[in-house]
Amino acid sequence: MEKEVVAMLLAGGRGTRLGLLTDDIAKPAVPFGGKYRIIDFTLSNCANSGINTIGVLTQYRPMTLNSYIGIGSSWDLDKTMDENGDGVTILPPYINKDGGQWYSGTANSIFQNIEYIDQHNPKYVLILSGDHIYRMNYQGLIDHHKEMQADATISVLRVPWEEANRFGIMNTDEDGKIVEFQEKPEKPKNNQASMGIYVFDWKVLREQLIEDEKKEDSSHDFGKDIIPQLLGKNKKLYAYNFSGYWKDVGTVNSYWEANMDLLSKDFILDLFDRKWVFRSENYKVAPKYVGEHAEIHRALISDGCKILGEVDTTVIFPEVFVGEQTRIIESVIMPKVRIGENVLIEKTIIGEGTIIEDGVKLLKDPKDEITVIPHQSRIVLSEDSPKGYEIRRRGDA
Amino acid sequence: MKNIMGIINDRDRPKGLEQLIVKRSPGAIPFGSKYRMVDLILSSMSISGIKNVGIFTGEHSGSLINHVKSGKEWGLLRNKDGLFMLPSRYEEHTDYLERSKEEYVLYSNSTIVYFSSFEPMEQFFNEKEADIVIAYGMDKKPPLTKGLYITLEEDRVTGLSETQKDAGYKRSMEVVLMKKEIFKKLLENVGKIGSNPLEVLIDEHKNYKIYGFLYKGYVAYVDNLYCYYKENMELLDEKLWTDLFQGRGSIITIRNDEAPTKYLEASHVKKTLVTEGCIIKGNIENSIIFRGVKLKKGASIKNSIIMQKAVIGRGAVIENAILDKDVEIKSGVRLIGTPDKPLFITKKAIIEKEN
């Protein structure tokens, strides 16, 4: 059946720069913002934009992500929800009679799923990434694409000039037509950065994917290969200006910052807007208990928690216990973490299910770096260690 | 517990709860920061593995039906069995009982506060080879309003009454496990003998082998506004929070997809139950806060129950009060009740400061 738009959500990356947080799970499945996982933002944007056919490309450590997304019902993206849509389909690499291979790049992952897209015969394909935090109505992007009669439209954002060299920069003419693309330029000509969100005419993209696949020197990447190739062919590529909060949470620093951003007073990405709800897994947990001696300032805290100590400038996920006389500052505490009494935690990201025993002091790193404690750790006091504590894997003796 | 079906009665409209049930049924009364009363019994049934539940709906049942919806959260959105709404006359629903394959019925009203699996009660039922088992709690001083009272000789129930006839009568939880055939007979006689199944049972109890089952966990009766206030406040006991909410399974309610609650710089929150979707800039002490409550700077709440989506303006002071849903309290307003007589503010009220 013909559909106007099929979205392809790239969620296969490991996210190496998130270090210990992605040892066990893919980056899009990393908990974020007190109750969400990173991918919730993109899936919620899809649902709220009326995009109802979505292929999710997974590869690295997909178990958590696959079971988390399930049939998409958390976001009302179950295929029975919309008679015109096909809901969410998880697309891992697969083998057919000619063999098979891992996804070798963002473009290659779409190439390997041409059949899935053809089956829906869409006019447009929307390429999204599973590791950005933002709120966007994709319909605006698609409308712009149609209006300009473009072959491809790239969503761009003005970034601070000093950061422009970290992005793919689009140089455009007065009409917003892209005339030049510079990937991470040393001397950027402007500050319009690609957000990694594209809409293509499916026919144009399909042809280019097949051509690119044959090129031995290609890394099969949208930014590095497909976009320059299309520009080289004089295809009509337009920029679509996005203004609003957008953050790639690909590094420990940006992940931590994005969590801290949520704590500011009038933060522009409004999690409380009932007209654009960011949906997530439904935690079936009790209301949060705040104790008699608790102190909470600048915090985002979910249900199922028991807070008896002091929490300042911190994001806390469901089912976290914070003991008496404990103090937590500038930190991110993932689900099911148990923190004992008399504990001090400064500028630390604590992985899911970790246990921190009474008296442990996780002091701020002397170089002001963010400390990361892996999921399922146990932190115990230790006189032998210079830091006074030792991190063990939970379950180990 | 594949052989037991659940029946919840949401028809009784206690006089004492009048203010809370103006436009809702008793089961739909908000409770404990994120729940509705009916969530407790539905969750107990759910953790007991009951897959077939019927609800006798009464006046203003829309509130209950909109809350429970398909029953999905309690595992009741199923191709086989699931959730059934039973409106209109009791006697009309004997067909539903006949159609159901289960041989036993677990009957409860929609406002009893407790959370537990029914497995021990079923075991007791089997040991006694009973026709009927009625659960009663440990509470020595339950409110003595209309209910189901029992007298016991050993475990055997020898007398049943709607009121406490004499000191020998204990208040039961109105949680009754019985053979389906017996429940069917009770239903058939509604209108002839009593006005609901329990009234029929009171009249007919001599015909059956009835036992009393002592439930040792937390039980509370909510049949007037004061009890409602008191029982909510009880939840602020840390031990009870742990017992009630951190035991086997958890109390389930529908999903609301609210953001985590946000605390700003100036917030002070102590001894309070808070759920999600709130933005807190003021002070809260000893209170129960439902979802989506916005508390402005300098506002303060003490010993109160604040239901969904209230907006409390700057510098407002609220003590010993119950605010129903969607209430707006403008800046500077003072609402002070007493612990014995909490102030009640009706749904959607807007309260401004008098000049």
Side-chain angles (χ1 to χ4, degrees):
Chain A
M1 199 182 112
E2 190 172 329
K3 292 198 178 70
E4 187 176 47
V5 187
V6 167
M8 298 296 273
L9 205 168
L10 306 168
R14 171 170 176 190
T16 328
R17 289 173 305 154
L18 271 181
L20 299 168
L21 296 175
T22 51
D23 267 2
D24 313 318
I25 50 176
K27 180 159 79 166
V30 170
F32 177 83
K35 78 179 286 190
Y36 310 94
R37 292 188 190 254
I38 295 171
I39 199 170
D40 286 335
F41 290 81
T42 306
L43 286 172
S44 298
N45 284 335
C46 280
N48 290 331
S49 304
I51 306 284
N52 51 27
T53 304
I54 305 161
V56 181
L57 299 127
T58 63
Q59 174 157 286
Y60 175 78
R61 287 271 185 179
M63 286 80 79
T64 309
L65 195 57
N66 292 357
S67 81
Y68 181 67
I69 295 173
I71 55 168
S73 32
S74 285
W75 305 270
D76 281 352
L77 290 169
D78 178 339
K79 66 175 164 188
T80 60
M81 296 282 172
D82 189 330
E83 59 180 78
N84 300 314
D86 205 48
V88 171
T89 306
I90 293 178
L91 303 169
Y94 61 92
I95 290 172
N96 59 26
K97 64 178 167 45
D98 307 317
Q101 56 164 317
W102 296 107
Y103 296 149
S104 60
T106 51
N108 172 263
S109 69
I110 306 296
F111 171 82
Q112 290 204 42
N113 286 288
I114 283 178
E115 207 179 305
Y116 167 78
I117 302 174
D118 277 347
Q119 181 190 313
H120 299 296
N121 191 20
K123 198 146 171 28
Y124 311 109
V125 168
L126 179 65
I127 306 291
L128 303 169
S129 161
D131 41 20
H132 299 158
I133 305 298
Y134 66 118
R135 164 183 171 161
M136 181 174 180
N137 191 335
Y138 302 127
Q139 223 60 59
L141 170 67
I142 293 161
D143 288 348
H144 189 75
H145 178 85
K146 286 191 215 167
E147 203 180 308
M148 293 295 157
Q149 299 181 326
D151 293 311
T153 304
I154 302 170
S155 189
V156 298
L157 175 83
R158 298 258 174 211
V159 294
W161 275 96
E162 62 274 17
E163 289 176 25
N165 59 1
R166 291 173 30 210
F167 292 91
I169 296 296
M170 302 291 161
N171 295 312
T172 53
D173 68 14
E174 296 147 9
D175 297 331
K177 187 165 187 256
I178 298 166
V179 291
E180 190 190 9
F181 169 78
Q182 300 171 284
E183 177 73 2
K184 297 183 182 155
E186 266 178 48
K187 285 187 182 147
K189 291 184 192 158
N190 75 71
N191 62 344
Q192 290 186 116
S194 165
M195 296 158 67
I197 297 167
Y198 315 94
V199 55
F200 291 96
D201 269 30
W202 174 229
K203 272 190 202 144
V204 175
L205 177 62
R206 194 180 190 281
E207 194 184 301
Q208 200 56 43
L209 288 172
I210 293 169
E211 195 181 305
D212 175 70
E213 193 56 27
K214 291 178 191 141
K215 292 188 201 297
E216 294 213 336
D217 57 343
S218 172
S219 54
H220 311 304
D221 183 84
F222 276 99
K224 288 193 198 96
D225 307 294
I226 300 292
I227 299 300
Q229 286 165 16
L230 289 173
L231 277 174
K233 282 183 173 174
N234 277 323
K235 292 282 181 192
K236 283 166 75 182
L237 272 65
Y238 278 85
Y240 171 76
N241 287 303
F242 171 83
S243 59
Y245 184 83
W246 176 87
K247 196 141 187 155
D248 180 345
V249 285
T251 65
V252 169
N253 272 315
S254 64
Y255 171 86
W256 181 84
E257 275 168 25
N259 275 288
M260 294 300 123
D261 284 344
L262 297 173
L263 302 173
S264 57
K265 204 169 133 230
D266 296 302
F267 184 53
I268 54 168
L269 182 87
D270 188 0
L271 300 176
F272 295 84
D273 183 355
R274 298 309 284 169
K275 291 189 202 82
W276 196 277
V277 176
F278 293 103
R279 292 182 204 282
S280 185
E281 177 179 10
N282 187 22
Y283 287 96
K284 292 177 176 172
V285 295
K288 163 182 44 182
Y289 185 81
V290 181
E292 188 121 39
H293 308 293
E295 277 291 343
I296 306 174
H297 306 288
R298 297 189 82 228
L300 206 56
I301 310 181
S302 265
D303 271 357
C305 294
K306 178 154 84 174
I307 311 290
L308 305 180
E310 188 186 337
V311 174
D312 197 333
T313 317
T314 289
V315 173
I316 301 187
F317 287 77
E319 296 184 84
V320 169
F321 287 9
V322 176
E324 299 251 9
Q325 309 289 330
T326 282
R327 188 156 190 257
I328 306 174
I329 308 154
E330 296 182 333
S331 296
V332 177
I333 317 290
M334 291 196 188
K336 296 186 178 151
V337 170
R338 296 287 190 267
I339 302 167
E341 295 176 7
N342 264 305
V343 171
L344 178 61
I345 298 171
E346 294 176 329
K347 209 170 179 178
T348 300
I349 299 168
I350 299 186
E352 206 161 336
T354 290
I355 294 172
I356 302 177
E357 295 189 348
D358 292 352
V360 168
K361 312 279 178 219
L362 290 167
L363 300 178
K364 194 187 266 193
D365 176 272
K367 284 181 237 133
D368 205 29
E369 301 271 335
I370 297 148
T371 308
V372 179
I373 306 295
H375 305 296
Q376 308 294 337
S377 302
R378 176 185 288 276
I379 308 186
V380 299
L381 282 175
S382 159
E383 284 172 13
D384 307 335
S385 156
K387 284 182 171 172
Y389 62 84
E390 203 178 298
I391 303 173
R392 296 179 187 158
R393 179 96 187 156
R394 226 176 118 175
D396 292 354
Chain B
M1 300 184 84
K2 285 193 185 124
N3 210 8
I4 300 178
M5 62 189 290
I7 295 283
I8 299 170
N9 195 339
D10 190 40
R11 290 191 182 180
D12 193 22
R13 296 179 67 78
K15 261 240 156 295
L17 289 177
E18 234 170 357
Q19 289 156 298
L20 286 166
I21 56 176
V22 174
K23 278 187 181 167
R24 54 168 81 95
S25 74
I29 296 173
F31 183 79
S33 173
K34 71 181 285 188
Y35 305 104
R36 305 282 186 139
M37 301 289 319
V38 74
D39 291 342
L40 294 151
I41 178 69
L42 275 173
S43 302
S44 293
M45 287 181 174
S46 171
I47 61 161
S48 305
I50 293 178
K51 308 287 188 206
N52 183 8
V53 176
I55 303 181
F56 285 122
T57 57
E59 245 180 284
H60 298 299
S61 59
S63 51
L64 181 99
I65 293 166
N66 291 338
H67 174 72
V68 176
K69 287 189 183 163
S70 62
K72 180 180 166 189
E73 310 293 344
W74 297 273
L76 295 174
L77 177 58
R78 323 178 67 82
N79 296 325
K80 194 174 144 200
D81 300 328
L83 182 66
F84 297 87
M85 293 295 166
L86 312 172
S88 189
R89 293 147 61 95
Y90 288 106
E91 326 66 290
E92 286 177 15
H93 299 293
T94 49
D95 279 3
Y96 162 59
L97 293 181
E98 274 167 24
R99 246 185 1 252
S100 300
K101 63 183 186 313
E102 293 84 357
E103 289 174 276
Y104 301 94
V105 166
L106 187 109
Y107 173 97
S108 171
N109 72 29
S110 57
T111 56
I112 182 84
V113 178
Y114 81 112
F115 176 56
S116 165
S117 164
F118 296 112
E119 271 163 37
M121 190 172 172
E122 183 193 26
Q123 207 180 344
F124 178 83
F125 184 98
N126 292 337
E127 272 165 25
K128 298 289 175 189
E129 297 179 349
D131 291 327
I132 298 173
V133 166
I134 301 174
Y136 64 99
M138 300 270 277
D139 193 346
K140 289 196 180 68
K141 287 181 186 165
L144 296 175
T145 38
K146 219 179 93 181
L148 183 67
Y149 291 80
I150 56 177
T151 52
L152 291 161
E153 275 171 30
E154 300 275 314
D155 289 332
R156 186 75 193 257
V157 173
T158 53
L160 269 182
S161 166
E162 202 175 52
T163 51
Q164 191 185 37
K165 275 191 193 159
D166 59 58
Y169 278 80
K170 284 183 207 301
R171 186 166 188 179
S172 84
M173 291 158 62
E174 288 169 55
V175 172
V176 184
L177 179 60
M178 64 195 125
K179 289 179 178 157
K180 186 171 76 178
E181 282 314 306
I182 295 175
F183 187 63
K184 208 180 122 204
K185 275 188 202 145
L186 299 181
L187 279 194
E188 283 164 354
N189 284 313
V190 172
K192 294 173 204 150
I193 298 171
S195 66
N196 66 48
L198 289 188
E199 282 182 19
V200 179
L201 177 63
I202 289 170
D203 199 78
E204 304 271 280
H205 74 269
K206 294 236 151 39
N207 302 336
Y208 303 112
K209 229 168 109 186
I210 308 179
Y211 287 86
F213 172 75
L214 176 63
Y215 172 65
K216 291 177 181 153
Y218 182 74
V219 183
Y221 306 86
V222 173
D223 32 34
N224 60 51
L225 194 66
Y226 175 70
C227 290
Y228 173 79
Y229 175 72
K230 198 182 80 164
E231 292 312 331
N232 269 286
M233 291 298 151
E234 286 284 319
L235 300 175
L236 297 173
D237 177 68
E238 191 192 329
K239 193 181 168 302
L240 180 60
W241 182 86
T242 308
D243 289 352
L244 201 57
F245 298 124
Q246 302 295 317
R248 186 188 144 187
S250 55
I251 304 171
I252 299 162
T253 188
I254 49 158
R255 55 181 297 159
N256 282 304
D257 291 304
E258 293 277 3
T261 280
K262 188 171 182 175
Y263 299 81
L264 279 295
E265 189 72 51
S267 80
H268 288 279
V269 181
K270 293 188 187 314
K271 210 175 177 198
T272 287
L273 275 192
V274 197
T275 186
E276 296 177 337
C278 302
I279 299 179
I280 300 173
K281 299 179 186 171
N283 306 325
I284 308 176
E285 201 181 323
N286 221 37
S287 294
I288 307 280
I289 311 294
F290 285 77
R291 72 183 173 93
V293 170
K294 310 281 185 287
L295 184 66
K296 302 280 166 67
K297 227 173 172 175
S300 107
I301 297 173
K302 206 172 164 184
N303 306 332
S304 295
I305 299 169
I306 312 293
M307 292 189 203
Q308 298 91 307
K309 293 189 260 179
V311 178
I312 319 284
R314 277 173 175 258
V317 178
I318 297 166
E319 277 178 38
N320 302 308
I322 301 170
L323 272 54
D324 205 325
K325 272 176 76 176
D326 297 312
V327 164
E328 190 180 344
I329 308 292
K330 302 276 191 187
S331 313
V333 170
R334 292 174 66 85
L335 295 174
I336 318 273
T338 65
D340 299 330
K341 210 169 179 305
L343 199 66
F344 183 82
I345 306 295
T346 53
K347 197 168 158 179
K348 291 189 180 164
I350 299 173
I351 314 268
E352 281 175 88
K353 199 176 170 182
E354 287 172 44
N355 286 314

